[in-house]
Amino acid sequence: MAKKDKKSKGPRGGSFRDALRVGDGFVLAELDPRSTPGFTGDKVAGQEALLAADEEMDTLQEQLYAMSKAGARRRVLLVIQGMDTSGKGGIMRHVVGSVDPQGVQLTAFKAPTAEEKKHPFLWRIRRALPDPGMIGVFDRSHYEDVLIVRVHDLVPRAQWSRRYAQINAFEQGLVEDEVTVIKVMTHISADEQKARLQERLDRPDKHWKYNPGDLDERAHWDDYQEAYQALLERCSTDAAPWYVVPADRKWYARLAVQQLLLEHLRELDLTWPEADFDVEAEKARLAQM
Amino acid sequence: MAKKDKKSKGPRGGSFRDALRVGDGFVLAELDPRSTPGFTGDKVAGQEALLAADEEMDTLQEQLYAMSKAGARRRVLLVIQGMDTSGKGGIMRHVVGSVDPQGVQLTAFKAPTAEEKKHPFLWRIRRALPDPGMIGVFDRSHYEDVLIVRVHDLVPRAQWSRRYAQINAFEQGLVEDEVTVIKVMTHISADEQKARLQERLDRPDKHWKYNPGDLDERAHWDDYQEAYQALLERCSTDAAPWYVVPADRKWYARLAVQQLLLEHLRELDLTWPEADFDVEAEKARLAQM
């Protein structure tokens, strides 16, 4: 492949990686959740761009998988974090759901079980890492251990404050072990969350998604924003940077996550593996049967 | 819901369950792999019918999931078995892949690992059963233990011959435990398999799917057909019947599996669970925040 293919280009020429990456001096509060970095089109154009990328995604995912059958260890880990109602479920359904399920390992992390609580916080994360050739997807992740745990002091401050460095070391190890780590925060405004919670209360077919505890958490909005700011500052590393996706517009957030995944896959030099058998000899055998 | 909704109807008025169910006196060799039982349309109509069912599938799957959040234990287990190249992968991609991945637990069973071999053959199966509210999908299954194991005498005959009754007892237990079991065999002809293997040899992007061992297995075609006939006769029970899907036409096999899943979901009396909180009180709280 020519080098020019290496630089990922979004559907309108931009790179979502460049537009969304958390670098030095990043301030979450200054990012407009209604903005659409890296994309100049409107909603219809965004939805078209999402569908238009399906074929390339299919090929890249299948090549990633095929190469593992030929012995490669490369795998991808997409981590999605965000406030309640920030559209994580929609991303799972519409972005992850458009990928061949045979190539995806999806884990939704809930409050830790009694068994999980007996172990260090990364224990359950390690167990859910993708196999070679797979795209692992985490709906919430080890970052909950510096989010809800920090906001509610579920462990002493001395303990959670050490976790940022532990997470960085853990992710560095993943990257060295041929895991492509893509960490995405879906960023909504407090007003948008209010509207989405209101919809869940207004529609009987959405009541099951609503939990009175959601409002208890909403009361800690500022604490959560502060906790996100802290992890973005401390855990956006060269090995595993964070990307913050403005998510008040669902169509944009879905497109952005898809394009981030695509841009990372494009850089892996994926190809169809060579046959490890004698093709002509097999053709001759088959012809006899 | 009125009783009339209970009788499942396919896209052209038929019931795939009725058309494909293995009953007394079923003879696999007499079923034409190019036939399209339960459907009178052509390929284009079949592909349209597949897409047309997406919305109903989405709603039913989400209701199944939602009801589990309200305490229900019902789950679904779709088992797919078939000869190499019979289209299992395409069904995973196009039928299972059209369902929200958050509601699906897909397991592909390969040759047992050293760990798995230490346990009874149903051990790894039990560990992969779907959680409440989920649609579990098995790509191959415990039936390999009366297929490849029987054909190659991987265990003594006395041992595999007991497994039919063990499987029936196991599945009866699942059904009593609120698991809806849907067992599907994708049925292709030897000629169609030859053509599909030929394609894998002709196309470099398909070489990774080919294994010389596939031809070794093909040499045992008749033994496998006999082993399928035996399990269809012995394990198509009232609790968990088998469905045999003619699979020489990929579009038909995909439609048939989707419709079998849909027909079973329709009979589960799924609905949106009632809120377990005071909706008006929550609206009032939210308005304050």
Side-chain angles (χ1 to χ4, degrees), chain A residues 63-74 131-134 273:
Chain A
Q63 287 177 330
L64 179 71
Y65 185 82
M67 288 176 75
S68 77
K69 296 293 153 195
R73 300 197 66 249
R74 174 63 56 189
D131 297 321
M134 302 294 283

Side-chain angles (χ1 to χ4, degrees), chain A residues 129-175:
Chain A
L129 290 172
D131 297 321
M134 302 294 283
I135 299 175
V137 181
F138 286 177
D139 177 357
R140 305 185 186 271
S141 68
H142 43 300
Y143 284 96
E144 291 296 322
D145 294 289
V146 288
L147 283 165
I148 189 168
V149 168
R150 170 180 165 141
V151 168
H152 294 289
D153 283 314
L154 300 182
V155 303
R157 180 187 188 101
Q159 192 174 341
W160 61 248
S161 64
R162 278 196 302 271
R163 288 182 174 169
Y164 300 98
Q166 290 167 344
I167 287 172
N168 288 346
F170 167 66
E171 293 177 353
Q172 178 72 41
L174 294 183
V175 169

Side-chain angles (χ1 to χ4, degrees), chain A residues 37-242:
Chain A
F39 191 71
T40 55
D42 62 5
K43 179 175 180 175
V44 171
Q47 290 170 330
E48 286 172 357
L50 187 79
L51 292 176
D54 267 356
E55 197 176 324
E56 184 185 6
M57 181 75 86
D58 270 357
T59 300
L60 291 171
Q61 177 275 320
E62 195 172 350
Q63 287 177 330
L64 179 71
Y65 185 82
M67 288 176 75
S68 77
K69 296 293 153 195
R73 300 197 66 249
R74 174 63 56 189
R75 43 250 154 92
V76 172
L77 176 61
L78 174 66
V79 173
I80 308 285
Q81 281 286 158
M83 300 291 284
D84 283 342
T85 77
S86 63
K88 297 185 295 295
I91 286 166
M92 297 305 147
R93 191 164 182 158
H94 297 283
V95 180
V96 177
S98 75
V99 181
D100 187 339
Q102 297 172 101
V104 172
Q105 288 173 288
L106 170 61
T107 308
F109 290 98
K110 315 285 186 187
T113 62
E115 165 76 5
E116 288 168 349
K117 280 184 188 164
K118 287 185 210 155
H119 295 273
F121 76 105
L122 291 172
W123 179 79
R124 63 175 185 164
I125 304 298
R126 292 183 200 277
R127 287 161 57 95
L129 290 172
D131 297 321
M134 302 294 283
I135 299 175
V137 181
F138 286 177
D139 177 357
R140 305 185 186 271
S141 68
H142 43 300
Y143 284 96
E144 291 296 322
D145 294 289
V146 288
L147 283 165
I148 189 168
V149 168
R150 170 180 165 141
V151 168
H152 294 289
D153 283 314
L154 300 182
V155 303
R157 180 187 188 101
Q159 192 174 341
W160 61 248
S161 64
R162 278 196 302 271
R163 288 182 174 169
Y164 300 98
Q166 290 167 344
I167 287 172
N168 288 346
F170 167 66
E171 293 177 353
Q172 178 72 41
L174 294 183
V175 169
E176 288 168 8
D177 194 26
E178 301 187 54
V179 181
T180 298
V181 179
I182 312 168
K183 302 183 299 191
V184 175
M185 179 198 174
T186 46
H187 177 49
I188 57 167
S189 64
D191 285 349
E192 180 67 19
Q193 187 188 61
K194 187 171 191 171
R196 293 183 186 182
L197 288 170
Q198 186 71 51
E199 189 188 15
R200 291 184 182 180
L201 288 169
D202 289 341
R203 289 177 50 176
D205 63 327
K206 300 259 191 191
H207 283 166
W208 70 275
K209 290 188 178 186
Y210 183 90
N211 186 314
D214 297 345
L215 287 196
D216 302 334
E217 290 306 294
R218 179 171 165 80
H220 297 282
W221 182 273
D222 292 342
D223 296 335
Y224 273 105
Q225 297 297 305
E226 189 181 306
Y228 270 108
Q229 174 68 34
L231 71 84
L232 294 169
E233 271 174 32
R234 301 183 64 173
C235 299
S236 191
T237 59
D238 287 341
W242 270 100

Side-chain angles (χ1 to χ4, degrees), chain B residues 135-159:
Chain B
I135 299 174
V137 181
F138 285 178
D139 177 355
R140 304 185 186 270
S141 68
H142 43 302
Y143 284 97
E144 292 296 321
D145 294 290
V146 288
L147 283 165
I148 189 169
V149 169
R150 171 180 164 138
V151 168
H152 294 290
D153 282 314
L154 300 182
V155 303
R157 180 187 187 101
Q159 193 174 340

Side-chain angles (χ1 to χ4, degrees), chain A residues 218-283:
Chain A
R218 179 171 165 80
H220 297 282
W221 182 273
D222 292 342
D223 296 335
Y224 273 105
Q225 297 297 305
E226 189 181 306
Y228 270 108
Q229 174 68 34
L231 71 84
L232 294 169
E233 271 174 32
R234 301 183 64 173
C235 299
S236 191
T237 59
D238 287 341
W242 270 100
Y243 301 94
V244 178
V245 169
D248 274 11
R249 302 179 199 261
K250 289 180 183 174
W251 66 264
Y252 170 78
R254 291 169 190 175
L255 176 65
V257 174
Q258 180 204 50
Q259 293 292 320
L260 285 169
L261 180 55
L262 260 184
E263 289 177 16
H264 282 81
L265 288 172
R266 281 189 199 122
E267 298 206 344
L268 295 181
D269 285 323
L270 300 170
T271 183
W272 298 114
E274 297 278 323
D276 60 357
F277 53 86
D278 182 336
V279 176
E280 294 310 316
E282 291 298 315
K283 285 182 182 172

